[in-house]
């Protein structure tokens, strides 16, 4: 009898414990059956309230307003030019963009320079950082001078680490490197553009613009392959970060024409080209899913 009573009490205790556990399910903090757990904040915010831009001459709006001059007001990322309708203006409005967006890009910079720009951006504590870098790593005096892919990867990872050490929750939009070979094929139709290219603009791709021999074709194809490899790196490094979005090669794949090129150098984006970059960035940043 004593053993039976012991087993009965044990059975009742198990039933009671199960009932309590069931009653606790679905309650926010176990404070009552009507409570619910607060919804987790989404990892990606489609409406960031401040923006910092890092990168090279494209983000500085170089040659989009005046010859051989930065024109940050026409930047796709942070500019105020109404014809561009920059990412910052689209997200923050004109007044908000003027108050809460910053452009730390530097004309001529390569991926190795990105970590120092990130360090500057960190000081502003932006909710979104835009990255467009890599064209100058391929645009060198020779093929041997192009940044090796492994080095490019290490430098981008270092830049991301610089950001993450201080701002673990800041979002990052990463643009693909533009299609330099298409720049050559479009710009070479303009005689003035080809003369300007001789001054030293992206010689690895644009040098001897009219040459179509096997050596010139191989040179351009090698540069193109390197740009594609850079874009793979950008995609892979970004994919490891839940608060990073790559444009999935949208900039590289964009079929721009001469209207999107600066008519001073036929290489950098015109205001119209900057507007197209802003559109691509806005679509990527505001998409519900990456």
């Amino acid at each position: 009898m004593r053993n039976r009573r012991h087993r009965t009490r044990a059975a009742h205790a198990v039933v009671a414990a199960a009932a309590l556990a069931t009653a606790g399910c679905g309650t926010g903090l176990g404070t009552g059956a009507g409570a619910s757990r607060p919804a987790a904040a989404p990892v990606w915010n489609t409406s960031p309230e401040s923006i910092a831009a890092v990168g090279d001459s494209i983000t500085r709006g170089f040659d989009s307003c005046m010859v051989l001059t930065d024109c940050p007001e026409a930047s796709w990322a942070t500019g105020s030019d109404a014809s561009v309708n920059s990412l910052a203006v689209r997200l923050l409005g004109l007044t908000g963009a003027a108050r809460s967006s910053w452009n730390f890009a530097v004309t001529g910079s390569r991926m190795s320079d990105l970590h120092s720009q990130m360090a500057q951006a960190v000081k502003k504590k932006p909710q979104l950082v835009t990255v467009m870098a890599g064209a100058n790593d391929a645009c060198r005096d020779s093929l041997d001078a192009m940044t090796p892919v492994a080095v490019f990867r290490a430098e981008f990872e270092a830049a991301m680490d610089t950001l993450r050490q201080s701002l673990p929750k800041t979002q990052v939009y990463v643009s693909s490197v533009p299609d330099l070979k298409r720049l050559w094929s479009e710009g070479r139709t303009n005689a003035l553009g080809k003369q300007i290219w001789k001054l030293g603009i992206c010689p690895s791709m644009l040098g001897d613009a009219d040459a179509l021999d096997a050596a010139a074709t191989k040179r351009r194809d090698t540069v193109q392959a390197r740009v594609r490899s850079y874009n793979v790196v950008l995609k892979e490094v970004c994919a490891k970060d839940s608060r990073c979005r790559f444009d999935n090669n949208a900039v590289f794949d964009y079929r721009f024409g001469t209207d999107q090129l600066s008519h001073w150098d036929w290489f950098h984006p015109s205001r119209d080209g900057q507007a197209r970059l802003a559109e691509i960035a806005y679509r990527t940043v505001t998409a519900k899913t990456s």
Side-chain angles (χ1 to χ4, degrees):
M1 292 295 291
R2 186 177 299 174
N3 290 339
R4 179 179 294 177
R5 285 196 299 270
H6 179 74
R7 289 196 297 271
T8 301
R9 292 193 189 99
H12 288 168
V14 171
V15 172
L20 287 172
T22 302
C25 291
T27 62
L29 295 173
T31 57
S36 60
R37 285 192 176 89
V43 171
W44 186 268
N45 175 16
T46 58
S47 301
E49 296 179 356
S50 55
I51 302 172
V54 297
D56 54 30
S57 56
I58 295 177
T59 300
R60 290 298 297 175
F62 187 82
D63 266 3
S64 59
C65 301
M66 294 182 289
V67 64
L68 300 178
T69 304
D70 284 352
C71 185
E73 60 267 31
S75 167
W76 65 271
T78 60
S80 58
D81 191 315
S83 66
V84 172
N85 195 15
S86 70
L87 176 64
V89 171
R90 292 169 194 247
L91 291 172
L92 311 177
L94 188 60
T95 301
R99 181 181 61 248
S100 301
S101 70
W102 309 275
N103 192 324
F104 297 108
V106 178
T107 293
S109 65
R110 302 196 294 273
M111 186 57 77
S112 60
D113 301 304
L114 204 67
H115 73 94
S116 62
Q117 296 178 22
M118 282 289 197
Q120 291 180 285
V122 161
K123 297 176 183 178
K124 296 295 185 179
K125 298 182 179 180
Q127 293 186 6
L128 175 69
V129 172
T130 67
V131 176
M132 180 180 284
N136 289 325
D137 291 88
C139 284
R140 309 300 296 153
D141 291 337
S142 68
L143 299 182
D144 290 341
M146 293 192 297
T147 304
V149 176
V151 174
F152 186 87
R153 181 185 296 273
E155 290 169 347
F156 184 41
E157 289 175 336
M160 290 293 290
D161 287 344
T162 298
L163 175 68
R164 286 291 170 244
Q165 287 170 9
S166 298
L167 300 175
K169 295 184 179 180
T170 288
Q171 299 177 169
V172 184
Y173 162 74
V174 178
S175 166
S176 49
V177 181
D179 186 342
L180 300 180
K181 192 171 184 180
R182 184 170 178 83
L183 283 170
W184 164 76
S185 65
E186 290 294 310
R188 67 186 292 268
T189 62
N190 184 272
L192 176 61
K194 287 186 291 186
Q195 290 301 312
I196 294 173
W197 288 355
K198 292 178 181 179
L199 298 177
I201 297 178
C202 197
S204 57
M205 176 61 76
L206 306 182
D208 298 323
D210 288 325
L212 299 174
D213 58 89
T217 299
K218 182 178 179 179
R219 168 171 54 84
R220 296 186 193 108
D221 287 346
T222 300
V223 176
Q224 183 78 338
R226 185 61 56 91
V227 169
R228 290 183 183 276
S229 295
Y230 290 163
N231 283 333
V232 170
V233 168
L234 296 175
K235 180 179 180 178
E236 290 178 348
V237 174
C238 189
K240 296 177 181 178
D241 189 316
S242 62
R243 289 183 168 85
C244 183
R245 282 189 176 183
F246 179 60
D247 73 357
N248 291 320
N249 286 321
V251 168
F252 178 85
D253 291 337
Y254 181 69
R255 309 305 290 171
F256 55 83
T258 54
D259 286 344
Q260 284 77 53
L261 298 180
S262 166
H263 288 189
W264 281 292
D265 66 18
W266 301 90
F267 178 79
H268 290 89
S270 62
R271 282 187 175 92
D272 186 76
Q274 292 282 347
R276 304 291 81 76
L277 294 175
E279 288 174 0
I280 291 170
Y282 183 74
R283 286 200 304 268
T284 304
V285 171
T286 60
K288 291 183 179 179
T289 58
S290 59

